[in-house]
Amino acid sequence: MATKQRPFHLVVFGASGFTGQFVTEEVAREQMDPEGSSRLAWAVAGRCREKLQRVLERAAEKLGRPTLPTEVGIIICDISNPASLDEMAKQATIVLNCVGPYRFYGEPVVKACVENGTSCIDISGEPHFLELMYWKYHEKAAEKGVYIIGSSGFDSIPADMGVIYTSSKINGTLTAVESFLTINSGPEGLCIHDGTWKSAIYGFGNQNQLKKLREQSNLKPVPIVGTKLKRSLCVSCRWPVSYCRELSSYSIPFMGADVSVVKRTQRYLHENLEQLPFPWLFSFGYFSKQGPTQKQLDGTSFTMTFFGQGYSHSTPTENNKPNIRVCTQVKGPEAGYIATPIAMVQAAMTLLNDASNLPTVGGVFTPGAAFCRTKLIDRLNKRGIEFSVISSSEV
């Protein structure tokens, strides 16, 4: 709750950045929802008051809310000034961190939030950063009772919550999933902002450090239940390209954080909620300094299709074959600057309003680990990121 000592429920840090502007607009849109709870006190944060003010003015004009700039607080802080980050964290219940690449700028925000008893949500797609934050801050965040939840944008809420949704819709035990992502562009084509591209590149380029981190963690492997997933959907071509019969299209491996995030969620569910883990396969079916135009955003959408298999009643073993299949989809608007702000803001609203269904203690979590028992999927459905069952059958 907001108090005199902690006056803001939400603070958007990096609000004047390219993605931060869209997140700011989405928070303002959420506060206009007539079916939502009472309006929350919130603020924007960054280095330059004038830029932050202009972001609020643009959001006010776009949403038809002329009073918005006077309703939102402004906090001046700098990633290079730890004291200013502490002051920001002390004023917030949750910080929405939009400042990347997180490899360079993410940890000071996590540190400030943990030390000052503030929860934090980011939209990082950088596996090394995400896993490093777990090993460095999970225990202290648990002691403080705060939730640090990474990858809460397009990378990786649709994938992570999509797997949880698929598991809930199979009439039995899900033991394997294969997923395909399709990006649909309109006549204006696709475009991704330069900052997003840099974050992705740094995430891809940190594989050696990620490998060392995992080796040092010395985690026990989670069990593989049932038979391994056969690539029956795909006709193998010259690696890394394959052809998916079900979707009638070619695919290449997706190089984002989804695989890392989903595997971490599966480990959490296995170790803490005694749910069976499963093998995971994932496939992926223009960058500029200015970023996409509004027409490009309006004309772009995504579809993520999940093919799951498992067992209806029999106990999974290496000898008996899966006898049940399910196909689900997650569909939504443009991924980077429309779906990502929606996912991030709804994650924050879930954290604020569904506390009884969160993990009982704080810590550093993936979205699936934090939100598997909450109503986040219902919230996303209402905001245009739609989860649905395409087919379900016993074999």
Side-chain angles (χ1 to χ4, degrees), residues 150-165:
S151 55
S152 293
F154 175 73
D155 198 349
S156 298
I157 278 185
D160 208 14
M161 299 306 295
V163 170
I164 289 172
Y165 177 82

Side-chain angles (χ1 to χ4, degrees), residues 60-371:
E61 182 178 359
K62 186 171 182 178
L63 298 176
R65 283 191 58 191
T67 61
L68 180 67
T70 64
E71 299 169 0
V72 181
I74 292 179
I75 300 172
I76 304 303
C77 60
D78 192 322
I79 198 71
S80 63
N81 184 341
S84 71
L85 295 178
D86 286 337
E87 286 303 311
M88 173 186 69
K90 289 174 182 178
Q91 297 182 65
T93 302
I94 302 173
V95 169
L96 305 184
N97 183 16
C98 303
V99 179
Y102 292 89
R103 174 184 178 183
F104 301 120
Y105 307 124
E107 185 172 356
V109 181
V110 171
K111 184 174 186 291
C113 286
V114 170
E115 291 183 349
N116 291 284
T118 306
S119 292
C120 180
I121 293 174
D122 71 46
I123 47 178
S124 171
E126 304 166 41
H128 180 261
F129 166 77
L130 294 165
E131 295 185 30
L132 182 63
M133 292 304 97
Y134 174 83
W135 290 112
K136 293 187 71 170
Y137 294 99
H138 178 68
E139 290 185 2
K140 190 165 186 179
E143 292 173 5
K144 291 280 191 174
V146 299
Y147 297 87
I148 308 299
I149 307 173
S151 55
S152 293
F154 175 73
D155 198 349
S156 298
I157 278 185
D160 208 14
M161 299 306 295
V163 170
I164 289 172
Y165 177 82
T166 302
S167 180
S168 72
K169 296 302 180 181
I170 195 168
N171 188 23
T173 302
L174 184 70
T175 58
V177 173
E178 187 168 18
S179 181
F180 295 86
L181 170 65
T182 303
I183 300 295
N184 312 293
S185 62
E188 297 290 326
L190 293 172
C191 183
I192 299 176
H193 186 259
D194 178 66
T196 304
W197 172 240
K198 286 179 179 177
S199 293
I201 289 299
Y202 289 127
F204 304 157
N206 228 12
Q207 293 303 308
N208 289 336
Q209 289 182 318
L210 179 59
K211 183 179 179 181
K212 290 179 182 178
L213 177 65
R214 289 173 175 171
E215 290 172 349
Q216 293 169 357
S217 66
N218 199 29
L219 290 170
K220 294 180 180 179
V222 295
I224 296 178
V225 182
T227 60
K228 292 184 179 181
L229 181 68
K230 293 182 179 180
R231 299 298 296 273
S232 57
L233 298 175
C234 295
V235 178
S236 295
C237 300
R238 184 173 298 176
W239 192 92
V241 179
S242 60
Y243 184 78
C244 176
R245 293 192 186 97
E246 294 285 341
L247 298 177
S248 300
S249 64
Y250 287 90
S251 66
I252 61 174
F254 180 54
M255 302 302 291
D258 286 347
V259 174
S260 167
V261 171
V262 171
K263 285 183 175 179
R264 288 172 58 209
T265 295
Q266 292 303 306
R267 175 178 292 278
Y268 173 85
L269 296 178
H270 173 65
E271 293 178 349
N272 293 274
L273 302 181
E274 299 182 354
Q275 295 185 17
L276 294 177
F278 49 81
W280 171 256
L281 292 171
F282 201 98
S283 300
F284 175 62
Y286 321 111
F287 307 92
S288 77
K289 291 286 185 180
Q290 291 76 32
T293 65
Q294 189 61 49
K295 286 185 177 180
Q296 287 174 320
L297 294 176
D298 293 341
T300 305
S301 62
F302 76 88
T303 301
M304 192 170 284
T305 305
F306 300 83
F307 297 98
Q309 68 179 33
Y311 298 81
S312 56
H313 302 294
S314 58
T315 302
T317 69
E318 291 186 3
N319 298 321
N320 61 342
K321 295 181 179 180
N323 65 346
I324 192 168
R325 293 175 182 168
V326 64
C327 175
T328 65
Q329 282 188 342
V330 181
K331 290 186 174 183
E334 187 277 333
Y337 311 109
I338 300 181
T340 284
I342 290 172
M344 187 184 208
V345 172
Q346 292 311 313
M349 298 306 294
T350 302
L351 197 55
L352 286 171
N353 294 296
D354 207 355
S356 62
N357 291 314
L358 297 170
T360 53
V361 295
V364 178
F365 296 100
T366 61
F371 300 126

Side-chain angles (χ1 to χ4, degrees), residues 13-34:
F13 179 50
S16 59
F18 191 81
T19 303
Q21 296 177 55
F22 289 98
V23 173
T24 298
E25 184 181 310
E26 186 60 29
V27 175
R29 186 177 290 108
E30 170 68 23
Q31 299 308 301
M32 294 172 62
D33 182 7

